[in-house]
Amino acid sequence: MTITEIAKKSGVSIGTVDRVLHNRGKVSEKTKLAVEAVIEKYGYTPNPLARTLKKNKPFVIGVLMPPPGTGSGYWQMIFKGMKEAESELSAFGIKLEFEYFDRTEYGSMTKASQRLFEKNLQALITVPIVPQEAEEIFSHIEIPYIFVDSPLPRANPVITIAQNPYRGGQCAGHIMKLLKESGKFAVLWFYKYTYNRLDRLIAFTNFFTNYTNCE
């Protein structure tokens, strides 16, 4: 619900709604109650992007991720996509601030997040692939944030953009089934525990429960 829509449903001007929302200027009690009733019924949340544009300040989104040059090109693709989006939305004052962490070094994600939070962020994009650190970071964060690549069950992101890890494990099982005559299969863990990798492993092993000749 926007201010314009609230004004239309309340039968008042946009300026009147603005005065009610910010408790300033003169508004009759009857009008105030009418506007508040519409707000209570339909809800209203200030748009931080619109507010930033009005103040002519950049809308800064922090990005906390592994270095683009790692992950055999995987993180480079994600980095490239975000930079393209930043360019397309530059007219709206969107600016990305990047900080990188080493997923193999415990504490690196926390240190990178501390450097990032020193900047005036309005939102955050991150990759919670070090769950223990990520859970601590997001236990007290106050700005909106989203996850890419992996979920984090005990957090509350606006959205998580990731593959369904369980389906991914099933897909791997289907592929490996074609090679079932080759003997034993091994699952290699190149990094420490993450939720998406665990789900893939569970799905992969479950897939073969009906194939006794595969171990």
Side-chain angles (χ1 to χ4, degrees):
M1 179 64 69
T2 66
I3 289 180
T4 301
E5 291 169 328
I6 293 172
K8 185 176 180 180
K9 288 186 177 295
S10 304
V12 300
S13 68
I14 295 174
T16 299
V17 175
D18 182 75
R19 287 193 290 274
V20 172
L21 287 171
H22 298 95
N23 195 27
R24 62 189 177 204
K26 294 183 179 180
V27 181
S28 70
E29 188 65 21
K30 180 180 179 180
T31 300
K32 182 180 179 182
L33 290 174
V35 173
E36 289 177 343
V38 172
I39 293 173
E40 183 177 356
K41 181 177 180 180
Y42 295 98
Y44 170 73
T45 301
N47 186 323
L49 179 57
R51 181 183 296 174
T52 301
L53 288 172
K54 188 176 182 180
K55 293 180 179 179
N56 198 28
K57 292 182 179 180
F59 188 87
V60 183
I61 303 174
V63 181
L64 183 63
M65 62 178 288
T70 62
S72 302
Y74 175 74
W75 300 116
Q76 179 64 41
M77 290 190 292
I78 293 178
F79 173 81
K80 182 181 178 181
M82 287 191 283
K83 291 298 290 183
E84 289 178 356
E86 179 186 29
S87 177
E88 292 174 5
L89 297 171
S90 60
F92 296 97
I94 299 294
K95 180 182 178 182
L96 298 181
E97 288 284 352
F98 290 84
E99 284 290 346
Y100 307 112
F101 64 89
D102 183 349
R103 66 185 301 179
T104 66
E105 179 185 337
Y106 191 81
S108 178
M109 186 179 187
T110 299
K111 292 176 183 177
S113 70
Q114 290 170 347
R115 294 193 300 269
L116 196 57
F117 291 145
E118 290 176 356
K119 304 169 184 179
N120 185 27
L121 304 181
Q122 277 74 53
L124 177 68
I125 302 171
T126 193
V127 183
I129 51 177
V130 186
Q132 300 92 331
E133 288 190 79
E135 287 176 357
E136 174 61 27
I137 292 169
F138 292 101
S139 65
H140 56 267
I141 191 171
E142 296 181 353
I143 58 175
Y145 57 90
I146 70 171
F147 291 150
V148 176
D149 176 76
S150 176
L152 188 67
R154 286 184 285 276
N156 188 31
V158 174
I159 192 173
T160 296
I161 304 170
Q163 174 203 61
N164 182 317
Y166 193 88
R167 294 294 299 275
Q170 288 179 320
C171 180
H174 278 285
I175 294 172
M176 294 304 289
K177 178 186 173 185
L178 301 176
L179 306 174
K180 64 181 180 179
E181 302 301 331
S182 62
K184 294 182 179 181
F185 297 153
V187 178
L188 303 180
W189 291 70
F190 293 100
Y191 301 104
K192 293 183 178 180
Y193 163 80
T194 59
Y195 289 106
N196 57 350
R197 291 180 183 275
L198 179 61
D199 279 355
R200 290 191 190 111
L201 175 60
I202 292 172
F204 182 81
T205 53
N206 285 348
F207 180 83
F208 285 104
T209 55
N210 294 325
Y211 298 96
T212 56
N213 59 330
C214 296
E215 297 182 72

